[in-house]
Amino acid sequence: MILLRVAGGEYALPLGCVVEVVRMAALTPAPGGPGHVLGLLDLRGRVVPVMDLGTRLGLAKGEPGLSTPICVVEAGGRAFGLVADAVTDVRPLSGPVERLEGTPADSPVAGVTHVGGRLVSVLDPDRLAGAAPSTEPGEAGRVGAGR
């Protein structure tokens, strides 16, 4: 799993869905997109919508800088970027993910797990993908598009 820090909290994503981590780049505005979408990234000819992970989780909106990471993820049949404050670690998932009772079915948080003696929220990339807008009708934004 890859560990991300967002608004002082730690979150994990399954490593299998992470394509790469890139530094912040110029984003093209996405007019009419949801408030958590910062814009569109041209990733070597591939159009990738980029979300502010903090805003998507209902936390304070971050202020990205040039060293802010964008974690590019493929899930739900599409690629999207997640802006976090930092990528803090990459490690295997060592324990079970415990589901949280009462969590809404569409919540991007799948559960929690123990990492180094602390609880970390585990994100569901497919639920996050449901909040990522398509970049264009047809092929753009789909896995493998533009490759």
Side-chain angles (χ1 to χ4, degrees):
M1 72 181 144
I2 188 167
L3 295 175
L4 308 171
R5 187 174 56 239
V6 179
E10 280 190 294
Y11 298 86
L13 274 170
L15 200 52
C17 72
V18 177
V19 176
E20 65 183 296
V21 177
V22 298
R23 286 182 17 178
M24 181 56 70
L27 300 176
T28 301
H36 60 268
V37 175
L38 298 174
L40 304 173
L41 174 66
D42 180 354
L43 187 63
R44 295 179 298 281
R46 187 176 186 188
V47 179
V48 177
V50 176
M51 292 187 263
D52 181 293
L53 185 55
T55 304
R56 173 67 179 98
L57 296 172
L59 306 170
K61 184 172 183 164
E63 292 297 324
L66 292 177
S67 63
T68 301
I70 300 174
C71 186
V72 180
V73 174
E74 285 186 349
R78 56 180 113 177
F80 55 95
L82 297 171
V83 172
D85 297 334
V87 174
T88 59
D89 203 357
V90 176
R91 60 172 58 199
L93 181 62
S94 58
V97 174
E98 298 179 34
R99 307 258 180 243
L100 301 174
E101 293 293 324
T103 303
D106 62 345
S107 171
V109 177
V112 295
T113 191
H114 289 88
V115 176
R118 60 196 186 279
L119 286 177
V120 173
S121 296
V122 179
L123 300 173
D124 182 319
D126 290 321
R127 292 183 201 155
L128 287 168
S134 294
T135 51
E136 291 179 23
E139 294 297 309
R142 290 189 48 206
V143 174
R147 287 189 182 169

